[in-house]
Amino acid sequence: MLRSVLRIKPWLKKCLARCRHCGIFFLTDPRNAGRRDLGCPFGCSRAHRQRQSTRRSVAYYQEPEGKVKKQALNARRRKTPGPPASTNPAPPELRPILQYVCVMVGLIEGRAVALWEVVVMLERTARQHRMVRTRRIDKSVAWLHGKPP
Ligand SMILES: [Zn+2]
């Protein structure tokens, strides 16, 4: 799909990037064109950011200043009860993917694309795929589930 987009819109080749972790190709913002240290928006970038955060945190709490801070935090934690456990599960982490789709559609269409436009487009596409990609037998089974005899 990416190759066909680049064939039609060759000026986007400068935005082509390869994930340094998993090797997948993706389109990046023109401001990042030419960089070779990018992670893909499909999870590698976030995982790398999280690993770096953990590394910085571990390094900080091993310093004398950090050890004092951690001891104070742990002492305070023992005194105060924790927050009540949430009954709602965390929402899926779709926002990075949606933002990537925003950038990609904006690059392809050559205009600024809002997040809501992408959501509406994906909902419309999902509805269309459901109709097109289901086999006849699956449609019959779905119809029977909806209207049992
Ligand atoms: Zn990746």
Side-chain angles (χ1 to χ4, degrees), residues 1-146:
M1 182 62 80
L2 198 51
R3 276 192 201 120
S4 62
V5 167
L6 292 175
R7 207 172 299 128
I8 296 168
K9 310 212 179 228
W11 60 88
L12 290 178
K13 282 183 182 170
K14 68 178 185 193
C15 297
L16 186 66
R18 187 172 194 171
C19 177
R20 70 177 180 161
H21 302 287
C22 69
I24 194 170
F25 286 99
F26 61 99
L27 289 178
T28 186
D29 192 283
R31 290 172 292 186
N32 290 327
R35 285 182 57 184
R36 296 187 178 272
D37 61 341
L38 298 174
C40 71
F42 308 111
C44 292
S45 178
R46 191 176 54 194
H48 176 70
R49 205 170 25 252
Q50 185 62 47
R51 276 193 307 271
Q52 294 305 312
S53 171
T54 302
R55 189 184 58 75
R56 283 191 308 273
S57 178
V58 167
Y60 173 73
Y61 286 124
Q62 286 177 344
E63 294 173 0
E65 179 188 347
K67 283 184 179 177
V68 171
K69 173 91 172 182
K70 187 66 178 171
Q71 283 174 349
L73 284 172
N74 285 342
R76 193 170 65 197
R77 187 178 296 141
R78 279 184 230 119
K79 290 177 188 169
T80 57
S86 175
T87 54
N88 293 335
E93 295 283 331
L94 286 177
R95 194 160 181 89
I97 300 291
L98 290 176
Q99 287 175 337
Y100 172 67
V101 173
C102 261
V103 169
M104 212 167 107
V105 172
L107 286 172
I108 292 169
E109 294 191 355
R111 65 180 182 94
V113 176
L115 192 64
W116 68 265
E117 290 178 275
V118 169
V119 170
V120 168
M121 178 194 68
L122 290 175
E123 285 174 350
R124 191 175 55 228
T125 304
R127 273 198 307 270
Q128 288 171 351
H129 281 191
R130 214 173 295 141
M131 293 294 287
V132 171
R133 294 202 173 158
T134 51
R135 296 178 304 175
R136 181 179 290 173
I137 186 71
D138 294 334
K139 285 181 188 174
S140 300
V141 170
W143 185 81
L144 286 172
H145 280 297

